[in-house]
Amino acid sequence: MEMVIDNKVLEFVADLKLPEVISNVRKQAADALNGMDFPTTKVEEWKYTRVSKYVKKKYIQSKIDADIQKYIPSDLEGHRLIFINGYYNESLSSIIKEDNALNIQSIELLNEEYYTDLLEDISENVFSLINKAYQTGGIFIQVKENAKLKYPIHLLFLTKGNGVIANTRNFIQLESGAEAEVFVTFNSENSDDSFTNCVLEGHVENNAHLTITKLQSEENNVFHVSKDLFIQDTGSTFKMNTITTGGSLIRNSVDVLVEGENCHTELNGVYLGVEKQLIDNHTLIDQMFPNCTSNELYKGVMGDESTGVFNGRVIVRQDAQKIQAYQSNKNILLTKKASVNSKPELEIYADDVMCSHGSTVGDLDDDAIFYLKTRGISEEKAKHMLIGAFIGDVLERIENEPIREIVNKRFTEKFGWEF
């Protein structure tokens, strides 16, 4: 590999270790880093998100054991896959044998020819390339044809320790007609200046149905970057709920490429900022075939001096006739120092479509607060009720009741808000 002098990316990864034998995916990712740089605010995709202070730091790979019991929801029965500091811990993980159509393997066993063909011509950012080159553990989840999993799959991530980098790469394949639900939780413990860098990719084949709910609730000292990329085939449905409540700087990127007719895509998100958090949500739905539908609803509540970013992009290609695509981003600012940068984008190259997008930023309704106070409700409680109602219609889209209750509990514990 040719080295580039003063390359910040190569300097960043200099202390990270590669296995002695590396796959083509790893090698290609490592090679691609040569000559790249970290994004600055001059790059449109990162216009509002400054990462410079985070990528100047040195992070360590740290394989440790940890007590994960308090992060396991007692009322959620399901398959459980545990990752600590980016390392898959098989001994702490558990698979329910009853779902015998579920196949769990190391990510290194994912067929590279299949993977390369599936994601051909997909552009990568520097963080996803760092992840793929230096990932320390990931899994390949496969659900067999026409199987419907009885239990959800819980991916539990814990970042523990100071200055740690947690690089995990996972892939989900739902074969034709399969159905599965995945719950992803990110936690941290004593994690000053740590970095969670996660890639989750997948393939939802013909008439398959995949639902993913992500709950990011790391401590407010963690730098978190995630890249989610999914391919949909004909007749499939894909739904992702992204809930963000923690971290110092959080960048969630969700890309869905719809490569078949009669698909449905749904992206929902809630982000709640406090202190000086920056929470950035970037989404892309690329409609390539006709007769598909997509719905996207993201809502943010920003307090203190926090900043929210939403950039939702929907592309309707020329052949994607009779598409229905709707996108909405709404935000509430709780203080004068909180801010949101919202940029919905709709690119339409077909002429027989129904599409809309919109964005709003506002305050809590003073009249509504006054009305509630006249009913004997305190001002603080009134605000909580209004915020709960505001984001409640997003959270109600989490159809799995135990998972929705876990999210609700998280909001109650951290903010005192109930939905």
Side-chain angles (χ1 to χ4, degrees):
M1 182 191 308
E2 181 182 357
M3 301 294 288
V4 176
I5 298 174
D6 295 332
N7 183 300
K8 295 177 182 176
V9 178
L10 296 184
E11 183 179 345
F12 180 88
V13 301
D15 296 333
L16 304 183
K17 296 178 182 177
L18 285 169
E20 291 183 5
V21 179
I22 63 173
S23 64
N24 287 331
V25 171
R26 281 184 183 269
K27 183 176 187 308
Q28 290 166 5
D31 289 346
L33 291 173
N34 189 10
M36 293 192 75
D37 201 352
F38 288 108
T40 69
T41 52
K42 294 180 180 178
V43 178
E44 184 64 25
E45 285 282 299
W46 296 82
K47 185 176 180 179
Y48 304 107
T49 303
R50 190 185 301 273
V51 300
S52 57
K53 78 172 186 179
Y54 297 97
V55 298
K56 287 178 181 175
K57 298 175 181 175
K58 299 297 287 185
Y59 299 93
I60 58 171
Q61 296 163 313
S62 176
K63 186 176 183 180
I64 61 171
D65 290 324
D67 182 358
I68 48 89
Q69 285 303 312
K70 63 181 177 182
Y71 303 107
I72 296 176
S74 58
D75 50 358
L76 179 66
E77 189 176 11
H79 311 284
R80 190 163 294 116
L81 307 174
I82 308 297
F83 302 83
I84 301 174
N85 287 351
Y87 293 85
Y88 176 54
N89 191 317
E90 187 173 1
S91 64
L92 295 177
S93 302
S94 59
I95 307 297
I96 301 174
K97 293 182 179 179
E98 186 177 344
D99 273 337
N100 55 19
L102 175 63
N103 185 25
I104 304 292
Q105 302 181 69
S106 166
I107 191 68
E108 303 294 351
L109 297 179
L110 175 62
N111 185 296
E112 289 199 338
E113 184 177 356
Y114 159 76
Y115 178 81
T116 303
D117 289 345
L118 183 70
L119 302 185
E120 187 177 13
D121 300 327
I122 299 295
S123 62
E124 299 262 13
N125 65 42
V126 64
F127 295 108
S128 63
L129 289 170
I130 290 173
N131 173 285
K132 289 184 177 178
Y134 295 94
Q135 57 92 357
T136 51
I139 52 171
F140 165 37
I141 300 171
Q142 187 179 43
V143 182
K144 298 296 185 181
E145 185 175 347
N146 294 325
K148 178 180 179 180
L149 293 189
K150 182 177 180 180
Y151 300 99
I153 306 166
H154 182 193
L155 307 183
L156 192 160
F157 297 92
L158 173 64
T159 299
K160 182 175 182 179
N162 298 333
V164 169
I165 183 169
N167 268 322
T168 306
R169 173 182 169 233
N170 300 295
F171 188 93
I172 302 171
Q173 180 190 20
L174 262 62
E175 294 186 344
S176 297
E179 183 173 345
E181 178 155 20
V182 177
F183 184 41
V184 185
T185 57
F186 291 98
N187 312 276
S188 69
E189 191 174 308
N190 301 323
S191 55
D192 280 348
D193 296 325
S194 288
F195 176 24
T196 299
N197 186 25
C198 188
V199 169
L200 178 62
E201 297 169 320
H203 186 194
V204 188
E205 297 184 358
N206 293 343
N207 302 310
H209 308 284
L210 176 61
T211 298
I212 299 175
T213 297
K214 291 178 62 177
L215 175 59
Q216 192 277 344
S217 54
E218 292 158 308
E219 296 162 309
N220 287 359
N221 51 20
V222 174
F223 173 42
H224 179 113
V225 176
S226 67
K227 175 72 173 179
D228 304 318
L229 171 64
F230 285 83
I231 310 292
Q232 283 188 249
D233 289 346
T234 299
S236 65
T237 63
F238 174 76
K239 178 177 180 178
M240 176 170 258
N241 309 302
T242 303
I243 316 298
T244 306
T245 69
S248 55
L249 189 158
I250 307 94
R251 167 78 172 211
N252 300 314
S253 297
V254 183
D255 293 355
V256 184
L257 311 183
V258 185
E259 298 185 351
E261 288 192 56
N262 301 311
C263 293
H264 178 69
T265 309
E266 186 170 335
L267 302 181
N268 305 307
V270 169
Y271 45 98
L272 300 106
V274 295
E275 301 174 355
K276 294 185 178 181
Q277 285 182 289
L278 190 151
I279 303 175
D280 180 347
N281 284 286
H282 267 61
T283 66
L284 166 68
I285 301 175
D286 194 345
Q287 300 279 10
M288 306 177 194
F289 284 79
N291 301 310
C292 295
T293 58
S294 66
N295 279 300
E296 185 171 4
L297 176 61
Y298 272 69
K299 289 191 174 183
V301 180
M302 311 308 294
D304 300 329
E305 299 179 41
S306 63
T307 302
V309 179
F310 175 79
N311 191 159
R313 185 181 180 200
V314 177
I315 304 175
V316 182
R317 305 284 178 179
Q318 188 172 8
D319 293 334
Q321 302 293 341
K322 300 189 181 303
I323 290 289
Q324 295 184 39
Y326 306 102
Q327 180 191 84
S328 176
N329 174 231
K330 298 179 179 180
N331 301 277
I332 287 179
L333 303 182
L334 298 178
T335 68
K336 291 182 178 179
K337 291 186 176 180
S339 63
V340 167
N341 301 289
S342 180
K343 186 183 177 189
E345 296 181 53
L346 187 54
E347 297 179 31
I348 302 176
Y349 302 98
D351 54 16
D352 184 10
V353 300
M354 295 175 65
C355 300
S356 69
H357 65 168
S359 174
T360 62
V361 180
D363 305 325
L364 287 175
D365 187 338
D366 289 337
D367 291 340
I369 294 174
F370 176 77
Y371 174 81
L372 291 170
K373 289 172 66 176
T374 62
R375 296 300 187 268
I377 298 172
S378 70
E379 180 167 334
E380 184 180 7
K381 180 65 176 177
K383 289 180 178 179
H384 289 174
M385 292 174 67
L386 292 176
I387 293 170
F390 176 68
I391 64 174
D393 63 338
V394 181
L395 300 181
E396 286 175 359
R397 300 183 180 206
I398 302 173
E399 296 178 5
N400 185 301
E401 188 171 344
I403 292 177
R404 189 171 64 248
E405 286 302 315
I406 292 167
V407 174
N408 189 17
K409 184 180 178 183
R410 172 59 185 167
F411 284 123
T412 303
E413 290 175 345
K414 182 166 184 177
F415 304 102
W417 301 339
E418 296 183 11
F419 306 99

